[in-house]
Every structure is written in C-alpha cells, then in structure tokens.
Amino acid sequence: MAKTNIVWHDHSVSRQQRESLLGQRGIVVWFTGLSGCGKSTIANELDKQLHELGRATMVLDGDNIRHGLCAPPERLAQEHSREFAARFGLGFGETDREENIRRIGSVAALMAASGLITLTAFVSPYRRDRDRVRKIVEAQRAGDFVEVFVDTPLEICELRDPKGLYKKARAGEIKNFTGISDPYEAPENPEIHLRGGDDRTPAEQAAEVLAKLGIDS
Ligand SMILES: Nc1ncnc2c1ncn2[C@@H]1O[C@H](COP(=O)(O)OS(=O)(=O)O)[C@@H](OP(=O)(O)O)[C@H]1O
Ligand SMILES: Nc1ncnc2c1ncn2[C@@H]1O[C@H](COP(=O)(O)OP(=O)(O)O)[C@@H](O)[C@H]1O
C-alpha cells in the first residue's frame, strides 16, 4: 500500500463502551433495489418500529443525501466554484454512483461504530460497490452489514412512478436511468430477500425485516 502521512488515531472510548451505553449493537441495514421499489418507505417504517422499541437509529436515503454529501454539480455551483462543482458534484454515471456509495458506506460505517442501527436506502445497483461497503463495515466486525434486497418487479415500480422519473426515462429525458437505460445487478445472496409489489403494506415489510434482524425490545 502506498505510504501516506495519514496516521490512524485510536479513540479513548471503545465501540463496545458506546454500544453498551446504548444497550444495542451498531449495524448497517443496507436496502437496495430499483427506484420506486419501496426502499425509503420501508426503511422509514423500520426506523419508526425500532424507535418505538427504544432503539437508537438513523436513516440515510438516496434522494436526501444527494441534497448534501453527494449533491450534483448544479447544486454545488450555488455555493462553490464551477471547477469545484464539476470535480465533486455527483450524477448517475457508473463512476459517480461508485463515489456516491463509497462516501455513504464510509459514513454508515462510522455511524454503526458509534452504536447506531444505521438504515441506508440507495439504489446501489452495482454489486462491486455494495460489496466494498460490506468490506468497510465488516472490517470491524463480521455480520454488521445486513443487505436487504427490496425485490419489486420493474413493472410495479414503473406503475408507481411517484416522481414521474420512469415516464421521463422512457421519453429519453433522463439518461442512465436504473432498470431502463442503466443496469441493476440484483444481490446474489442478500441476508434478507424482501418481496415487493405484493399486497403487503410497508409496515408489514418492515416488520419482516425487524423479525429477521432479531432485534426486540
Ligand atoms: N438516472 C437515475 N437512475 C436512478 N435513480 C435516479 C436517476 N436520476 C434520478 N434518480 C433519483 O435518484 C435516486 C437514486 O439515488 P441513489 O443515490 O439511491 O442512486 S445510486 O445508489 O447512486 O445508484 C432515486 O431515488 P429513489 O426513487 O428513492 O430510489 C431516483 O428518484
Ligand atoms: N408496500 C407498499 N405497498 C404499496 N405502495 C408502496 C409500498 N412501499 C412503497 N410504496 C410506494 O411506492 C412508491 C415508491 O416508494 P419509495 O419508498 O419512494 O421507493 P424507493 O425509495 O425505492 O424509490 C411510493 O409512492 C410509496 O408510497
């Protein structure tokens, strides 16, 4: 590995101390799936159910994070130079998505290390990107990364189309749209394979994830 002048600084408070203060284990619950599959809704329902159990949690969601940490160039240009915006702003090309997931993976790992049950809801279409997050999170402790594949058929996602993006993608107004003009690599062995598009409510889907996480009051 290339030599750098960056030296890791150990904390005085250990992860175990942080988790015992909260009485819980910090983990990353990584929801992945097509746009419109239900990731954000189910993650927010799970967040509510965990909170009601007295658990300390946080939710990171694609649309929201792309307003801040992973903002697009046009948003960054409102505050920063055009050169900065072009360099650090993120769109939906393969490399931009790679950087999007890399940044979020690092933040999620930090949150889990602080003892939080960290729920992330990102399309995260590339297996390689998701596996890299798993590697970062599980470098500290095996089993701390729980991949939840929200497996809702494309037809259902397109029927829902709450933001009209599928319609725009079909009309060629949005390039690289996942599932239409960009790939989605389904997880081959997710910890939780959640069927979507049946008649279950988001609360029922979240309850299935909660049961499989084995987290009770
Ligand atoms: N080209 C393209 N492809 C996919 N999705 C797009 C695109 N353009 C905008 N959007 C909206 O951005 C949300 C996905 O952002 P993510 O950060 O989750 O994507 S990724 O993980 O970097 O692939 C996603 O939000 P969700 O619908 O909540 O998944 C879309 O609404
Ligand atoms: N179990 C469900 N049953 C019916 N509609 C759902 C369900 N889960 C989510 N939805 C709806 O589907 C749309 C997309 O949900 P969302 O959580 O935004 O998906 P994603 O975050 O994957 O893009 C929203 O209108 C949401 O209300």
Side-chain angles (χ1 to χ4, degrees):
M1 182 190 294
K3 186 100 182 66
T4 70
N5 294 317
I6 303 158
V7 182
W8 183 265
H9 184 88
D10 285 324
H11 295 146
S12 311
V13 178
S14 72
R15 176 167 183 165
Q16 282 63 35
Q17 287 171 306
R18 297 181 201 281
E19 292 179 330
S20 61
L21 192 71
L22 293 170
Q24 65 184 42
R25 171 177 174 176
I27 56 170
V28 173
V29 184
W30 189 275
F31 290 85
T32 174
L34 296 170
S35 173
C37 71
K39 302 183 294 297
S40 310
T41 305
I42 299 163
N44 279 284
E45 274 296 330
L46 180 59
D47 189 34
K48 206 163 72 179
Q49 290 175 17
L50 284 163
H51 188 75
E52 281 159 7
L53 288 174
R55 295 278 152 244
T57 59
M58 185 54 183
V59 182
L60 301 177
D61 169 290
D63 279 320
N64 297 359
I65 294 292
R66 281 178 178 270
H67 278 77
L69 177 64
C70 300
E74 52 275 21
R75 180 174 282 273
L76 288 186
Q78 294 165 11
E79 184 63 35
H80 302 269
S81 72
R82 295 177 65 78
E83 188 226 348
F84 180 98
R87 183 172 166 199
F88 296 110
L90 297 181
F92 288 88
E94 186 169 349
T95 313
D96 284 26
R97 293 185 201 242
E98 178 180 351
E99 173 60 1
N100 182 43
I101 298 308
R102 185 192 71 81
R103 293 181 194 173
I104 294 149
S106 295
V107 169
L110 286 172
M111 288 182 164
S114 71
L116 285 176
I117 298 170
T118 308
L119 312 178
T120 56
F122 296 85
V123 172
S124 49
Y126 298 106
R127 221 167 272 132
R128 175 204 56 197
D129 296 347
R130 300 193 300 260
D131 290 347
R132 283 174 172 152
V133 177
R134 179 187 291 275
K135 202 167 143 198
I136 294 169
V137 172
E138 298 204 331
Q140 296 193 32
R141 186 171 56 197
D144 278 1
F145 183 87
V146 179
E147 187 175 47
V148 183
F149 174 28
V150 184
D151 188 2
T152 306
L154 173 64
E155 307 70 58
I156 304 276
C157 299
E158 196 160 357
L159 267 176
R160 289 172 174 173
D161 201 12
K163 297 168 241 180
L165 297 179
Y166 278 99
K167 189 160 173 275
K168 284 185 182 169
R170 286 286 184 201
E173 293 164 26
I174 301 179
K175 294 195 312 298
N176 311 103
F177 196 78
T178 306
I180 303 293
S181 45
D182 227 49
Y184 178 77
E185 296 171 353
E188 288 166 338
N189 190 20
E191 277 74 18
I192 299 174
H193 186 158
L194 200 58
R195 302 243 167 266
D198 53 24
D199 56 1
R200 288 187 305 168
T201 65
E204 288 166 337
Q205 290 174 299
E208 179 184 331
V209 177
L210 183 64
K212 288 182 175 172
L213 289 173
I215 298 172
D216 46 29
S217 53

